[in-house]
mmCIF file of all heavy atoms in Angstrom:
data_model
loop_
_atom_site.group_PDB
_atom_site.id
_atom_site.type_symbol
_atom_site.label_atom_id
_atom_site.label_comp_id
_atom_site.label_asym_id
_atom_site.label_seq_id
_atom_site.Cartn_x
_atom_site.Cartn_y
_atom_site.Cartn_z
ATOM 1 N N LEU R 27 -3.715 4.715 8.272
ATOM 2 C CA LEU R 27 -3.923 4.033 6.990
ATOM 3 C C LEU R 27 -4.013 5.038 5.844
ATOM 4 O O LEU R 27 -3.427 4.831 4.783
ATOM 5 C CB LEU R 27 -5.190 3.170 7.050
ATOM 6 C CG LEU R 27 -5.542 2.393 5.785
ATOM 7 C CD1 LEU R 27 -4.440 1.404 5.415
ATOM 8 C CD2 LEU R 27 -6.874 1.672 5.979
ATOM 9 N N ASN R 28 -4.720 6.116 6.056
ATOM 10 C CA ASN R 28 -4.829 7.164 5.037
ATOM 11 C C ASN R 28 -3.447 7.714 4.675
ATOM 12 O O ASN R 28 -3.101 7.846 3.496
ATOM 13 C CB ASN R 28 -5.751 8.280 5.531
ATOM 14 C CG ASN R 28 -5.926 9.370 4.496
ATOM 15 O OD1 ASN R 28 -6.336 9.110 3.374
ATOM 16 N ND2 ASN R 28 -5.614 10.597 4.877
ATOM 17 N N ASN R 29 -2.659 8.022 5.687
ATOM 18 C CA ASN R 29 -1.305 8.530 5.448
ATOM 19 C C ASN R 29 -0.459 7.489 4.710
ATOM 20 O O ASN R 29 0.281 7.818 3.788
ATOM 21 C CB ASN R 29 -0.625 8.900 6.768
ATOM 22 C CG ASN R 29 -1.271 10.090 7.436
ATOM 23 O OD1 ASN R 29 -1.969 10.870 6.805
ATOM 24 N ND2 ASN R 29 -1.057 10.226 8.735
ATOM 25 N N HIS R 30 -0.588 6.243 5.121
ATOM 26 C CA HIS R 30 0.174 5.149 4.504
ATOM 27 C C HIS R 30 -0.169 5.015 3.024
ATOM 28 O O HIS R 30 0.726 4.878 2.180
ATOM 29 C CB HIS R 30 -0.124 3.842 5.250
ATOM 30 C CG HIS R 30 0.568 2.641 4.698
ATOM 31 N ND1 HIS R 30 1.939 2.531 4.648
ATOM 32 C CD2 HIS R 30 0.072 1.493 4.180
ATOM 33 C CE1 HIS R 30 2.262 1.352 4.122
ATOM 34 N NE2 HIS R 30 1.142 0.709 3.816
ATOM 35 N N MET R 31 -1.443 5.083 2.711
ATOM 36 C CA MET R 31 -1.866 4.928 1.319
ATOM 37 C C MET R 31 -1.391 6.093 0.450
ATOM 38 O O MET R 31 -1.022 5.891 -0.704
ATOM 39 C CB MET R 31 -3.384 4.773 1.239
ATOM 40 C CG MET R 31 -3.851 3.438 1.804
ATOM 41 S SD MET R 31 -5.629 3.265 1.835
ATOM 42 C CE MET R 31 -5.963 3.113 0.088
ATOM 43 N N HIS R 32 -1.384 7.304 1.015
ATOM 44 C CA HIS R 32 -0.991 8.479 0.234
ATOM 45 C C HIS R 32 0.521 8.669 0.120
ATOM 46 O O HIS R 32 0.974 9.514 -0.658
ATOM 47 C CB HIS R 32 -1.623 9.743 0.825
ATOM 48 C CG HIS R 32 -3.064 9.878 0.478
ATOM 49 N ND1 HIS R 32 -4.065 9.428 1.308
ATOM 50 C CD2 HIS R 32 -3.670 10.368 -0.624
ATOM 51 C CE1 HIS R 32 -5.230 9.657 0.731
ATOM 52 N NE2 HIS R 32 -5.019 10.221 -0.440
ATOM 53 N N THR R 33 1.275 7.920 0.903
ATOM 54 C CA THR R 33 2.733 8.048 0.832
ATOM 55 C C THR R 33 3.344 6.717 0.415
ATOM 56 O O THR R 33 3.686 6.525 -0.744
ATOM 57 C CB THR R 33 3.320 8.531 2.174
ATOM 58 O OG1 THR R 33 2.931 7.630 3.218
ATOM 59 C CG2 THR R 33 2.869 9.936 2.506
ATOM 60 N N CYS R 34 3.448 5.805 1.341
ATOM 61 C CA CYS R 34 4.154 4.537 1.113
ATOM 62 C C CYS R 34 3.568 3.759 -0.062
ATOM 63 O O CYS R 34 4.293 3.367 -0.978
ATOM 64 C CB CYS R 34 4.093 3.674 2.369
ATOM 65 S SG CYS R 34 4.746 4.481 3.844
ATOM 66 N N VAL R 35 2.268 3.514 -0.030
ATOM 67 C CA VAL R 35 1.637 2.694 -1.066
ATOM 68 C C VAL R 35 1.730 3.388 -2.425
ATOM 69 O O VAL R 35 2.131 2.771 -3.418
ATOM 70 C CB VAL R 35 0.169 2.366 -0.694
ATOM 71 C CG1 VAL R 35 -0.538 1.659 -1.835
ATOM 72 C CG2 VAL R 35 0.118 1.514 0.580
ATOM 73 N N LEU R 36 1.380 4.652 -2.464
ATOM 74 C CA LEU R 36 1.428 5.397 -3.724
ATOM 75 C C LEU R 36 2.835 5.382 -4.327
ATOM 76 O O LEU R 36 3.009 5.100 -5.507
ATOM 77 C CB LEU R 36 0.953 6.836 -3.513
ATOM 78 C CG LEU R 36 0.979 7.742 -4.743
ATOM 79 C CD1 LEU R 36 0.028 7.210 -5.815
ATOM 80 C CD2 LEU R 36 0.610 9.156 -4.362
ATOM 81 N N ASN R 37 3.831 5.666 -3.504
ATOM 82 C CA ASN R 37 5.208 5.694 -4.005
ATOM 83 C C ASN R 37 5.665 4.339 -4.512
ATOM 84 O O ASN R 37 6.328 4.242 -5.540
ATOM 85 C CB ASN R 37 6.162 6.212 -2.929
ATOM 86 C CG ASN R 37 5.995 7.683 -2.670
ATOM 87 O OD1 ASN R 37 5.550 8.437 -3.523
ATOM 88 N ND2 ASN R 37 6.340 8.115 -1.468
ATOM 89 N N LYS R 38 5.298 3.283 -3.795
ATOM 90 C CA LYS R 38 5.712 1.943 -4.234
ATOM 91 C C LYS R 38 5.026 1.555 -5.541
ATOM 92 O O LYS R 38 5.662 0.976 -6.418
ATOM 93 C CB LYS R 38 5.448 0.922 -3.135
ATOM 94 C CG LYS R 38 6.452 1.033 -2.014
ATOM 95 C CD LYS R 38 6.287 -0.056 -0.989
ATOM 96 C CE LYS R 38 7.389 0.102 0.059
ATOM 97 N NZ LYS R 38 7.563 -1.099 0.847
ATOM 98 N N ILE R 39 3.768 1.870 -5.686
ATOM 99 C CA ILE R 39 3.065 1.572 -6.937
ATOM 100 C C ILE R 39 3.698 2.356 -8.084
ATOM 101 O O ILE R 39 3.921 1.817 -9.165
ATOM 102 C CB ILE R 39 1.557 1.862 -6.809
ATOM 103 C CG1 ILE R 39 0.906 0.809 -5.907
ATOM 104 C CG2 ILE R 39 0.886 1.875 -8.187
ATOM 105 C CD1 ILE R 39 -0.541 1.096 -5.547
ATOM 106 N N GLN R 40 4.006 3.628 -7.849
ATOM 107 C CA GLN R 40 4.648 4.443 -8.881
ATOM 108 C C GLN R 40 6.017 3.895 -9.270
ATOM 109 O O GLN R 40 6.464 4.078 -10.394
ATOM 110 C CB GLN R 40 4.770 5.894 -8.413
ATOM 111 C CG GLN R 40 3.444 6.617 -8.372
ATOM 112 C CD GLN R 40 3.539 8.006 -7.756
ATOM 113 O OE1 GLN R 40 4.461 8.311 -7.007
ATOM 114 N NE2 GLN R 40 2.552 8.840 -8.055
ATOM 115 N N ASN R 41 6.661 3.182 -8.337
ATOM 116 C CA ASN R 41 7.967 2.573 -8.613
ATOM 117 C C ASN R 41 7.827 1.145 -9.152
ATOM 118 O O ASN R 41 8.824 0.439 -9.278
ATOM 119 C CB ASN R 41 8.837 2.562 -7.357
ATOM 120 C CG ASN R 41 9.308 3.937 -6.968
ATOM 121 O OD1 ASN R 41 9.456 4.812 -7.819
ATOM 122 N ND2 ASN R 41 9.536 4.149 -5.685
ATOM 123 N N GLY R 42 6.581 0.725 -9.431
ATOM 124 C CA GLY R 42 6.358 -0.598 -9.994
ATOM 125 C C GLY R 42 6.334 -1.719 -8.979
ATOM 126 O O GLY R 42 6.292 -2.890 -9.351
ATOM 127 N N GLU R 43 6.346 -1.389 -7.697
ATOM 128 C CA GLU R 43 6.349 -2.399 -6.635
ATOM 129 C C GLU R 43 4.908 -2.736 -6.249
ATOM 130 O O GLU R 43 4.438 -2.420 -5.169
ATOM 131 C CB GLU R 43 7.123 -1.886 -5.420
ATOM 132 C CG GLU R 43 8.573 -1.548 -5.723
ATOM 133 C CD GLU R 43 9.265 -0.880 -4.553
ATOM 134 O OE1 GLU R 43 9.160 -1.394 -3.419
ATOM 135 O OE2 GLU R 43 9.901 0.169 -4.774
ATOM 136 N N THR R 44 4.215 -3.431 -7.159
ATOM 137 C CA THR R 44 2.779 -3.683 -6.965
ATOM 138 C C THR R 44 2.477 -4.705 -5.875
ATOM 139 O O THR R 44 1.329 -4.822 -5.459
ATOM 140 C CB THR R 44 2.127 -4.123 -8.286
ATOM 141 O OG1 THR R 44 2.808 -5.284 -8.770
ATOM 142 C CG2 THR R 44 2.184 -3.003 -9.323
ATOM 143 N N GLU R 45 3.486 -5.406 -5.367
ATOM 144 C CA GLU R 45 3.253 -6.341 -4.263
ATOM 145 C C GLU R 45 2.770 -5.610 -3.004
ATOM 146 O O GLU R 45 2.207 -6.214 -2.102
ATOM 147 C CB GLU R 45 4.504 -7.179 -3.954
ATOM 148 C CG GLU R 45 5.684 -6.401 -3.403
ATOM 149 C CD GLU R 45 6.553 -5.720 -4.460
ATOM 150 O OE1 GLU R 45 6.287 -5.867 -5.668
ATOM 151 O OE2 GLU R 45 7.495 -5.020 -4.066
ATOM 152 N N VAL R 46 2.950 -4.304 -2.988
ATOM 153 C CA VAL R 46 2.474 -3.508 -1.857
ATOM 154 C C VAL R 46 0.947 -3.598 -1.732
ATOM 155 O O VAL R 46 0.403 -3.431 -0.647
ATOM 156 C CB VAL R 46 2.956 -2.038 -1.960
ATOM 157 C CG1 VAL R 46 2.209 -1.276 -3.040
ATOM 158 C CG2 VAL R 46 2.797 -1.330 -0.623
ATOM 159 N N ILE R 47 0.265 -3.893 -2.827
ATOM 160 C CA ILE R 47 -1.194 -4.023 -2.783
ATOM 161 C C ILE R 47 -1.584 -5.205 -1.916
ATOM 162 O O ILE R 47 -2.520 -5.114 -1.103
ATOM 163 C CB ILE R 47 -1.786 -4.138 -4.204
ATOM 164 C CG1 ILE R 47 -1.545 -2.829 -4.975
ATOM 165 C CG2 ILE R 47 -3.279 -4.475 -4.157
ATOM 166 C CD1 ILE R 47 -1.858 -2.908 -6.450
ATOM 167 N N ASP R 48 -0.874 -6.334 -2.051
ATOM 168 C CA ASP R 48 -1.157 -7.500 -1.206
ATOM 169 C C ASP R 48 -0.910 -7.181 0.266
ATOM 170 O O ASP R 48 -1.689 -7.562 1.138
ATOM 171 C CB ASP R 48 -0.305 -8.697 -1.631
ATOM 172 C CG ASP R 48 -0.684 -9.217 -3.007
ATOM 173 O OD1 ASP R 48 -1.877 -9.103 -3.393
ATOM 174 O OD2 ASP R 48 0.206 -9.732 -3.712
ATOM 175 N N GLU R 49 0.181 -6.470 0.533
ATOM 176 C CA GLU R 49 0.496 -6.061 1.897
ATOM 177 C C GLU R 49 -0.612 -5.161 2.448
ATOM 178 O O GLU R 49 -1.059 -5.333 3.590
ATOM 179 C CB GLU R 49 1.827 -5.320 1.920
ATOM 180 C CG GLU R 49 2.217 -4.783 3.280
ATOM 181 C CD GLU R 49 3.462 -3.929 3.205
ATOM 182 O OE1 GLU R 49 3.330 -2.725 2.880
ATOM 183 O OE2 GLU R 49 4.557 -4.459 3.464
ATOM 184 N N LEU R 50 -1.084 -4.231 1.637
ATOM 185 C CA LEU R 50 -2.158 -3.328 2.043
ATOM 186 C C LEU R 50 -3.440 -4.099 2.335
ATOM 187 O O LEU R 50 -4.116 -3.847 3.336
ATOM 188 C CB LEU R 50 -2.401 -2.272 0.965
ATOM 189 C CG LEU R 50 -3.564 -1.309 1.204
ATOM 190 C CD1 LEU R 50 -3.336 -0.479 2.465
ATOM 191 C CD2 LEU R 50 -3.742 -0.408 0.000
ATOM 192 N N MET R 51 -3.766 -5.047 1.465
ATOM 193 C CA MET R 51 -4.983 -5.837 1.682
ATOM 194 C C MET R 51 -4.900 -6.663 2.957
ATOM 195 O O MET R 51 -5.862 -6.753 3.710
ATOM 196 C CB MET R 51 -5.271 -6.746 0.470
ATOM 197 C CG MET R 51 -5.698 -5.973 -0.771
ATOM 198 S SD MET R 51 -7.047 -4.775 -0.507
ATOM 199 C CE MET R 51 -8.342 -5.844 0.087
ATOM 200 N N ASP R 52 -3.742 -7.239 3.248
ATOM 201 C CA ASP R 52 -3.548 -7.977 4.502
ATOM 202 C C ASP R 52 -3.784 -7.048 5.705
ATOM 203 O O ASP R 52 -4.426 -7.429 6.680
ATOM 204 C CB ASP R 52 -2.130 -8.563 4.591
ATOM 205 C CG ASP R 52 -1.927 -9.739 3.658
ATOM 206 O OD1 ASP R 52 -2.918 -10.325 3.178
ATOM 207 O OD2 ASP R 52 -0.749 -10.076 3.400
ATOM 208 N N THR R 53 -3.281 -5.840 5.596
ATOM 209 C CA THR R 53 -3.456 -4.856 6.677
ATOM 210 C C THR R 53 -4.924 -4.506 6.852
ATOM 211 O O THR R 53 -5.438 -4.459 7.971
ATOM 212 C CB THR R 53 -2.620 -3.601 6.389
ATOM 213 O OG1 THR R 53 -1.250 -3.965 6.285
ATOM 214 C CG2 THR R 53 -2.809 -2.543 7.467
ATOM 215 N N ILE R 54 -5.621 -4.273 5.757
ATOM 216 C CA ILE R 54 -7.046 -3.935 5.822
ATOM 217 C C ILE R 54 -7.840 -5.080 6.424
ATOM 218 O O ILE R 54 -8.721 -4.858 7.261
ATOM 219 C CB ILE R 54 -7.573 -3.531 4.430
ATOM 220 C CG1 ILE R 54 -6.968 -2.180 4.026
ATOM 221 C CG2 ILE R 54 -9.097 -3.464 4.419
ATOM 222 C CD1 ILE R 54 -7.237 -1.762 2.592
ATOM 223 N N TYR R 55 -7.525 -6.317 6.037
ATOM 224 C CA TYR R 55 -8.228 -7.466 6.616
ATOM 225 C C TYR R 55 -8.027 -7.524 8.136
ATOM 226 O O TYR R 55 -8.961 -7.800 8.879
ATOM 227 C CB TYR R 55 -7.745 -8.776 5.990
ATOM 228 C CG TYR R 55 -8.164 -8.961 4.537
ATOM 229 C CD1 TYR R 55 -7.324 -9.584 3.637
ATOM 230 C CD2 TYR R 55 -9.395 -8.498 4.063
ATOM 231 C CE1 TYR R 55 -7.687 -9.755 2.306
ATOM 232 C CE2 TYR R 55 -9.756 -8.653 2.738
ATOM 233 C CZ TYR R 55 -8.909 -9.291 1.869
ATOM 234 O OH TYR R 55 -9.271 -9.453 0.564
ATOM 235 N N LYS R 56 -6.825 -7.239 8.601
ATOM 236 C CA LYS R 56 -6.550 -7.232 10.044
ATOM 237 C C LYS R 56 -7.363 -6.143 10.742
ATOM 238 O O LYS R 56 -7.867 -6.345 11.850
ATOM 239 C CB LYS R 56 -5.060 -7.023 10.306
ATOM 240 C CG LYS R 56 -4.222 -8.220 9.949
ATOM 241 C CD LYS R 56 -2.747 -7.909 10.116
ATOM 242 C CE LYS R 56 -1.904 -9.046 9.581
ATOM 243 N NZ LYS R 56 -0.466 -8.716 9.595
#
C-alpha cells in the first residue's frame, strides 16, 4: 500500500485522475 500510494496514486493525482482516491479508499476499507 505504501508503494502504491507513492507511485500509482501520486502519479494519477498529478495527472488529474482524482478518481484514484475512491479506488484507494475501497482498497483501504477491504
Side-chain angles (χ1 to χ4, degrees):
L27 180 61
N28 182 56
N29 292 340
H30 179 61
M31 290 176 71
H32 283 94
T33 57
C34 304
V35 173
L36 179 63
N37 289 335
K38 285 186 177 197
I39 289 172
Q40 288 173 338
N41 289 332
E43 300 173 49
T44 57
E45 67 277 358
V46 73
I47 295 170
D48 293 329
E49 177 186 84
L50 176 62
M51 291 309 301
D52 287 343
T53 301
I54 291 171
Y55 290 144
K56 288 175 188 174

